[in-house]
């Protein structure tokens, strides 16, 4: 007969059962006294590993065992089961062979009407000799040595299959058990959930204490209400959201460490009871709030009922976490955009430096002028290093998402203003707030030609008066002369020149030259190293004569111009300090003193940018060309005059004779000559 009702309730983990399984088998044709009821005893100290344990009502197992006889058959390996007629009548639909030390399933003839069969606590290694029991509903093979699920294909009416605490490694051969309601496989060696998708009526699945590392392949279990996965090695869970009736999920004592690995549970709307205790995730401070916020339908968490206050607190914490996550996401996007933009700037710089290098090489071939050759060599040295210029394919594809205009970056981080790419220099024309501008003490230049930086230095000292620290990276600092341009700043306490893209740091004495040329700043650090008094003395010894020679060789008009500038600075300082109360000396006055402190000899060591130098060269070439043409015209004119003079000297004797002859012939007839003259006078009037 088909059973009318099953009811199963599982409680705690397989090792410690708290709420027992209460299984009732009742048929419509049997009277009340024939009802078979199985209860899970709470006190089972000798079998702590079972989830589903059953004691037959009225000490059924002990009574029936006294009347069972196993005799040898013609096949020595299979004993034959024999029961007395009284036992068959009294327990016609059930049979228990518990603790009989069986190694094989006995041959059971004449018992085709059996609905319950119990083989608990034996040594059976294989399921067999029960294919004739096609009315069997309940089969208990708990605590045996079975290695493979087999021999069940004919038991199409089977509803409960208990195979806990065996040696099964794979779920298989359940294709014909489509009416299965309870499947207990706890305490085996199963590593993967498989071959259960056809069990659409299955309500309870117990896979506790196996070797599962993940949970998936649960599609098709549309009736599953309870899933026990305690004491495995599970790291992530999938497909649970595809179980429409799942109410209880036990994941205690696994290796789940993040909510993302079980995020599908948030979509399991029917889930009301879940356990995570014994997992790394349960040790996190955000654990409970995250679970409750993402699984609002839960009623119990880790066997404890969830209160409304806990839900409210979880909601508050979740909102804060969400805000923090959004802010973190925003910062991540900005950081990624910054990274891509900087790489885009680096690529443009790399291409530009290679182009400059090629131009310099071509000029070296065509131009023999040593001065031009020196300039070209400087450009070649400043080429972008290969290790930073080479971009992998992944980065190149990512850069394609950037706009073409994203070739520079301006960033204010704390007290540091970072400029990437020449286009970033335009930011100095912005209307910076007084607070932001006053806060900036460090200015960093990256992927910008130093000659372009020189042109904006006057703006820099106006816009950011408190800037004390300058950083240069990939700026083509190739000669000591370029440091002269920094003298026009308001104040510099620290200087950092990165070796990358600045070959000048390869010169042994570059730091001493900086200290000498910018001595009026009283610089404190260079490349992070403190400046000592000995460094200042050494700088003066090495380069003091250089300033004297430079000022001696300087044209007088240029020297006067420099002296005039120095006088202007002194006069400006006097005007700024005029009217100040005695004893009050502010930082601005100190800065002015520094400017005044720049000696005339050092002021002669200036720097002309490459573009300005080229413009001067073009201007000089034009002047040379004009002077050459003017001189050539003068020489040509003088040559023509000389040639005419020489020709006149040769022709003059003959010309003089002809002049005298013509004059004599005209006045030979005096009267005619007078009339002719009078006539000419009359015609003129």
């Amino acid at each position: 007969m088909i059973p009318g009702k099953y009811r199963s309730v599982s409680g705690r983990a397989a090792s410690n059962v708290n709420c027992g399984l209460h299984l009732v088998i009742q048929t419509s044709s049997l009277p009340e006294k024939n009802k078979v009821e199985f209860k899970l005893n709470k006190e089972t100290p000798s079998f702590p590993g079972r989830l589903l344990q059953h004691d037959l009502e009225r000490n059924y197992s002990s009574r029936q065992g006294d009347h069972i006889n196993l005799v040898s058959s013609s096949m020595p390996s299979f004993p034959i089961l024999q029961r007395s007629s009284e036992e068959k009548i009294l327990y016609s639909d059930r049979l228990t062979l518990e603790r009989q030390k069986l190694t094989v399933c006995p041959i059971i003839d004449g018992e085709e009407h059996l609905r319950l069969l119990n083989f608990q606590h034996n040594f059976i290694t294989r399921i067999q000799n029960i294919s004739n029991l096609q009315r069997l509903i309940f089969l208990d093979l708990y605590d045996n040595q079975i290695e493979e699920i087999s021999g069940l294909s004919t038991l199409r009416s089977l509803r409960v299959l208990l195979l806990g605490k065996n040696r099964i490694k794979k779920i298989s051969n359940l294709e014909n058990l489509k009416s299965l309601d309870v499947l207990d496989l706890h305490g085996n060696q199963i590593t993967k959930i498989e071959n259960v998708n056809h069990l659409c009526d299955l309500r309870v699945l117990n896979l506790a204490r196996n070797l599962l590392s993940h949970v998936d392949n649960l599609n098709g279990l549309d009736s599953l209400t309870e899933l026990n996965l305690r004491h495995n090695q599970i790291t992530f869970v999938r497909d649970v959201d595809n179980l429409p009736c799942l109410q209880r999920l036990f994941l205690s004592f696994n290796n789940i460490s993040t909510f993302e690995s079980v995020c599908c549970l948030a979509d399991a709307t029917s889930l009301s009871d879940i356990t995570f205790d014994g997992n790394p995730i349960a040790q996190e401070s955000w654990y409970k709030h995250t679970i409750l916020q993402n699984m609002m339908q839960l009623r119990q968490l880790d066997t404890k009922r969830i209160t409304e206050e806990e839900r409210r607190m979880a909601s508050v914490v979740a909102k804060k976490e969400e805000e923090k996550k959004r802010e973190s996401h925003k910062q991540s996007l900005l950081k990624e955009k910054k990274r891509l933009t900087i790489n885009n700037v680096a690529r443009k710089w790399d291409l530009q430096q290679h182009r400059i290098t090629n131009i310099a090489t071509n000029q070296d071939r065509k131009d023999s002028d040593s001065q031009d050759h020196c300039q070209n060599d400087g450009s070649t040295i400043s080429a972008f290093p290969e290790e930073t210029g080479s971009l992998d394919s992944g980065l190149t594809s990512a850069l394609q998402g950037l706009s073409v205009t994203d070739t520079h970056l301006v960033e204010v981080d704390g007290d540091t203003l970072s400029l990437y790419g020449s286009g970033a220099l335009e930011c100095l024309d912005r209307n910076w707030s007084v607070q932001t501008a006053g806060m900036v003490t460090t200015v960093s230049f990256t992927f910008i030609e130093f000659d372009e930086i020189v042109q904006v230095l006057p703006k820099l000292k106006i816009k950011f008066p408190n800037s004390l620290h300058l950083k240069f990276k990939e700026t083509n600092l190739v000669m000591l002369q370029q440091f002269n341009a920094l003298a026009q700043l308001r104040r510099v306490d620290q200087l950092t020149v990165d070796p990358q893209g600045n070959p000048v740091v390869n010169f042994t004495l570059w730091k001493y030259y900086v200290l000498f040329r910018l001595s009026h700043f009283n610089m404190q650090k260079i490349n992070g190293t403190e400046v000592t008094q000995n460094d200042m003395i050494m700088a003066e010894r090495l380069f003091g004569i250089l300033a004297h020679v430079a000022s001696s060789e300087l044209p007088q008009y240029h020297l006067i111009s420099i002296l005039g500038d120095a006088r202007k600075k002194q006069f400006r300082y006097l005007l700024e300090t005029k009217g100040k109360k005695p004893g009050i000396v502010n930082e601005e006055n100190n800065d002015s003193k520094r400017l005044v402190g720049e000696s005339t000899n050092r002021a002669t060591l200036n720097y002309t940018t490459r573009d300005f130098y080229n413009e001067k060269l073009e201007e000089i070439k034009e002047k040379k060309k004009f002077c050459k043409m003017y001189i050539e015209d003068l020489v040509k004119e003088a040559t023509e005059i000389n040639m005419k003079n020489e020709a006149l000297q040769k022709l003059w004797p003959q010309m003089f004779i002809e002049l005298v002859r013509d004059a004599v012939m005209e006045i030979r007839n005096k009267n005619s000559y007078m009339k002719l003259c009078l006539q000419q006078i009359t015609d003129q009037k």
Side-chain angles (χ1 to χ4, degrees), residues 207 320 372:
L207 291 170
K320 293 182 179 179
D372 291 342

Side-chain angles (χ1 to χ4, degrees), residues 455-522:
Q455 298 174 11
V456 301
L457 289 179
K459 296 180 182 178
L460 183 65
K461 66 181 181 181
I462 294 174
K463 292 287 186 178
F464 304 99
N466 296 328
S467 57
L468 306 175
H469 185 188
L470 297 183
K471 293 183 178 181
F472 299 94
K473 181 178 180 180
E474 293 290 354
T475 56
N476 273 345
L477 272 167
V478 298
M479 60 184 73
L480 297 177
Q481 185 185 7
Q482 291 173 294
F483 290 112
N484 300 341
L486 301 180
Q488 60 180 299
L489 289 172
R490 185 183 186 89
R491 180 181 175 185
V492 178
D493 282 357
Q494 294 187 50
L495 182 66
T496 302
V497 182
D498 196 289
Q500 186 174 339
N502 295 307
V504 71
V505 299
N506 295 325
F507 300 156
T508 306
L509 303 179
W510 77 273
K511 293 183 181 179
Y512 294 111
Y513 182 80
V514 170
L515 293 175
F516 170 76
R517 182 61 186 88
L518 305 178
S519 61
H520 57 291
F521 287 150
N522 293 327

Side-chain angles (χ1 to χ4, degrees), residues 297-308:
Q297 76 281 9
L298 285 184
R299 296 181 180 177
Q300 287 195 134
L301 176 61
D302 296 332
T303 69
K304 295 180 180 179
R305 188 168 185 82
I306 300 170
T307 64
E308 290 301 322

